[in-house]
Amino acid sequence: MQALLNVADRAGVKLRVPGDTRGNCCGVPFSSKGFEAAHAAAVNHTVANMFRWSNGGELPVVIDTSPCTYGLKTARPDLTPENQAKFDKLRILDSVEFAHDALLPTLPIRRKVDSVALHPVCSAVKMAIVPKLVKISNACSENVMVPRDAGCCAFAGDRGFLFEGLTASATEKEAAQATEAEHSGYYSSSRTCEIGMTRATSKVYQSYLHLLDFASRP
């Protein structure tokens, strides 16, 4: 979150972090396990609060983890009629599209790293924002590598904590390609996916926002 605040400030864009975000959830940890009632309770609670935080939809809501963004963007069928009306007034943005569209045009890029490797997470692929992630990375790096076999890391929120073999199997080809050459950094847009790819490659994957923060730091 701090990296996003840093780059927004440098780009001259004001962000407001609500003081009562604790306890709000995108619902994906429940929906991914088939806990439909818990998922519905979570997304209804969160959407109602997002409506309040955004001044009734006046401000866009930026989320800095792609699976959470996708989970909320697709939550409408599980909302009450009252919250569906609120949802329809919301503008929910993934930080990738926000950084690309609203920050990058005015953000001072002061340095570039030699090369980066990217892991496009499943939700970013579904939201069609991977090209924007690549463009952000290109602005901060001389070379951007996306493994040709990049795909689902199988971490699946928390499955990777409990069944490490899933991630090891799913990432085998991508990990081999990501480590064919040494890169200045390894980046993605989901913390749990970054954990999975770190385990698979023994390289530290982190949010692309850290790359953007480094490249624009005075």
Side-chain angles (χ1 to χ4, degrees):
M1 181 180 71
Q2 189 58 54
L4 177 57
L5 293 173
N6 291 345
V7 295
D9 181 64
R10 291 173 198 143
V13 178
K14 293 183 178 180
L15 294 181
R16 184 178 74 189
V17 181
D20 58 342
T21 56
R22 186 181 296 274
N24 289 272
C25 178
C26 65
V28 171
F30 304 112
S31 63
S32 62
K33 299 177 183 64
F35 299 147
E36 296 179 5
H39 171 254
V43 293
N44 275 281
H45 176 75
T46 299
V47 165
N49 282 329
M50 289 169 67
F51 186 77
R52 174 172 56 85
W53 295 330
S54 66
N55 297 335
E58 180 181 324
L59 299 173
V61 179
V62 180
I63 300 172
D64 66 1
T65 302
S66 294
C68 298
T69 310
Y70 183 76
L72 285 166
K73 281 191 172 188
T74 57
R76 193 181 189 280
D78 297 300
L79 300 175
T80 64
E82 179 184 2
N83 283 329
Q84 284 182 343
K86 293 178 179 179
F87 177 89
D88 291 341
K89 295 180 180 180
L90 292 175
R91 185 183 176 204
I92 302 172
L93 299 176
D94 188 80
S95 67
V96 170
E97 55 189 324
F98 175 71
H100 178 274
D101 298 347
L103 303 185
L104 197 59
T106 56
L107 186 67
I109 300 298
R110 295 182 168 93
R111 63 189 62 82
K112 287 189 174 187
V113 300
D114 290 334
S115 67
V116 299
L118 298 181
H119 170 68
V121 301
C122 300
S123 49
V125 174
K126 292 175 182 177
M127 292 186 288
I129 58 174
V130 175
K132 292 187 176 184
L133 177 61
V134 173
K135 287 181 181 179
I136 292 170
S137 303
N138 270 319
C140 306
S141 173
E142 298 295 344
N143 181 58
V144 177
M145 193 277 288
V146 179
R148 61 184 177 275
D149 286 314
C152 181
C153 69
F155 209 90
D158 67 354
R159 297 292 86 185
F161 289 121
L162 305 174
F163 304 100
E164 294 186 17
L166 287 175
T167 300
S169 175
T171 58
E172 185 176 3
K173 290 184 179 180
E174 179 181 355
Q177 292 160 15
T179 54
E180 284 177 353
E182 191 69 25
H183 298 281
S184 306
Y186 302 80
Y187 299 98
S188 189
S189 61
S190 166
R191 189 69 194 105
T192 51
C193 299
E194 289 152 19
I195 294 172
M197 289 305 300
T198 296
R199 287 181 177 176
T201 62
S202 297
K203 304 293 183 180
V204 177
Y205 276 74
Q206 54 185 339
S207 171
Y208 75 95
L209 288 164
H210 290 291
L211 173 63
L212 202 55
D213 187 15
F214 172 78
S216 61
R217 190 176 302 155

